[in-house]
Amino acid sequence: MTADNSIASAQPELGRTVQEFGDQPLEVRESTHYKNEYVQTFVDKWDELIDWRGRYESEGKFFVEQLRQRGVESILDVATGTGFHSVRLLEEGFDTVVSADGSAEMLAKAFDNGMKFGGHILRVVQADWRWLNRDVHGEYDAIICLGNSFTHLFSERDRRKALAEFYAMLKHDGVLILDQRNYDSILDNGFSSKHQYYYCGDDVVAEPEHVDDGLARFRYRFPDGSEYHLNMFPLRKDYTRRLMHEVGFQRVETYGDFQETYSEDEPDFFVHIAEKAYLEDPEEGTA
């Protein structure tokens, strides 16, 4: 069973141009605050930051191959952003891609990009991961949560609830693909990024302005002098993997910058591939 055809498009309240962090931006640590961060002017520059062509080349066929080798047909993209992966997977011929996001501004941009790149009419829905089953219907072969999006959840309770919602919406042998920045390296060794994979835009600077165990505040500077911020929770790799196992995912494989073998400090990003299929031998799930 795939998504219900009655799934509604988001009707966003668009046009905000100023981010809101208040007088103490380092104290802003709320799971819903991202809605005040992805303002229209920032969203309009997001594709300049990630550079679709550059990201296409850097990722190669990694996600496509991971999905195909597991026989995936139906996909729910829960962190659509401006639509890069939703469009890419439609281009690759996957049968069902439903595109969800918590940001109305992002979904509006994604819908436009779907038409711009290939004439695709994206099936978009605005949804909070913690109540995903309320807003999105059906079961899926795969759920993807990419673009370092899971880091917007600041409480463990919210993270567990979101993962449980993902788990519930997967078919019995479904797979969750979730990525995150290598916060372990940032917390333990300081920040150093090649920006080869996720942020491919020329002359765009993405770097942390403040990092502690509960906050990674990143600054994004663009060639025209404009500047934006995102407040995110610095997820550690093993912590994320543990949560996935505890929610019920049987096997979790982790790649560093799309490589199966890597040194812990080298990757900019980790990609976790969590399988729901039940394993009789629990030792099989410790990859």
Side-chain angles (χ1 to χ4, degrees):
M1 180 173 64
T2 56
D4 190 320
N5 287 331
S6 66
I7 195 167
S9 296
Q11 297 182 357
E13 179 183 343
L14 304 177
R16 293 175 300 161
T17 60
V18 179
Q19 291 183 317
E20 299 175 6
F21 286 97
D23 296 332
Q24 296 181 306
L26 299 185
E27 300 303 316
V28 177
R29 308 180 184 208
E30 301 171 1
S31 294
T32 57
H33 191 265
Y34 68 89
K35 294 181 180 180
N36 296 316
E37 298 173 17
Y38 289 108
V39 295
Q40 191 66 56
T41 47
F42 191 20
V43 169
D44 288 341
K45 290 182 174 295
W46 195 255
D47 291 338
E48 184 180 342
L49 173 67
I50 67 173
D51 181 1
W52 280 38
R53 183 180 299 277
R55 190 161 182 176
Y56 185 98
E57 293 173 352
S58 68
E59 288 186 1
K61 292 276 191 177
F62 178 82
F63 293 114
V64 172
E65 290 174 352
Q66 292 291 336
L67 293 167
R68 281 186 175 152
Q69 73 183 28
R70 291 171 171 81
V72 167
E73 294 181 357
S74 59
I75 302 169
L76 170 59
D77 181 356
V78 296
T80 297
T82 57
F84 174 80
H85 287 103
S86 287
V87 172
R88 175 77 192 277
L89 294 172
L90 285 170
E91 290 283 331
E92 292 288 346
F94 288 94
D95 290 345
T96 303
V97 177
V98 175
S99 305
D101 202 284
S103 167
E105 286 83 358
M106 282 290 197
L107 284 176
K109 185 69 170 180
F111 189 86
D112 290 343
N113 279 338
M115 295 298 295
K116 179 180 178 181
F117 298 103
H120 301 288
I121 300 177
L122 294 185
R123 303 173 66 197
V124 299
V125 59
Q126 187 173 2
D128 186 312
W129 295 335
R130 296 168 297 178
W131 296 278
L132 191 63
N133 283 268
R134 178 190 64 189
D135 299 319
V136 182
H137 307 289
E139 291 182 330
Y140 299 84
D141 296 319
I143 291 177
I144 59 172
C145 182
L146 303 176
N148 195 42
S149 302
F150 200 64
T151 192
H152 285 304
L153 298 179
F154 274 87
S155 78
E156 180 167 315
R157 184 169 180 264
D158 288 340
R159 289 188 283 272
R160 287 184 180 275
K161 183 66 166 69
L163 287 174
E165 292 284 307
F166 298 164
Y167 186 91
M169 296 197 70
L170 287 170
K171 295 180 181 179
H172 71 94
D173 58 350
V175 61
L176 167 67
I177 303 182
L178 182 150
D179 69 10
Q180 64 168 100
R181 186 179 281 279
N182 185 354
Y183 288 111
D184 291 76
S185 181
I186 295 173
L187 288 166
D188 297 337
N189 306 310
F191 179 73
S192 175
S193 175
K194 303 177 291 297
H195 300 314
Q196 287 182 312
Y197 299 99
Y198 279 60
Y199 300 136
C200 303
D202 294 332
D203 301 320
V204 180
V205 178
E207 59 187 4
E209 187 174 85
H210 172 88
V211 179
D212 61 46
D213 286 336
L215 175 68
R217 178 173 169 82
F218 267 69
R219 177 176 60 237
Y220 302 83
R221 291 182 294 175
F222 293 86
D224 65 359
S226 60
E227 188 173 290
Y228 299 89
H229 293 83
L230 291 178
N231 279 17
M232 299 170 285
F233 183 85
L235 295 163
R236 287 191 177 272
K237 183 193 74 171
D238 289 344
Y239 167 79
T240 305
R241 287 169 50 87
R242 176 172 62 80
L243 287 185
M244 289 177 163
H245 279 298
E246 291 178 355
V247 165
F249 288 99
Q250 297 285 292
R251 178 179 176 86
V252 181
E253 295 180 284
T254 299
Y255 294 78
D257 288 343
F258 313 119
Q259 303 299 314
E260 191 169 7
T261 303
Y262 54 89
S263 172
E264 292 293 326
D265 294 336
E266 289 181 356
D268 277 352
F269 279 80
F270 294 120
V271 178
H272 307 290
I273 301 180
E275 297 178 349
K276 183 175 180 177
Y278 184 71
L279 301 176
E280 292 189 11
D281 181 1
E283 292 300 317
E284 295 181 41
T286 59

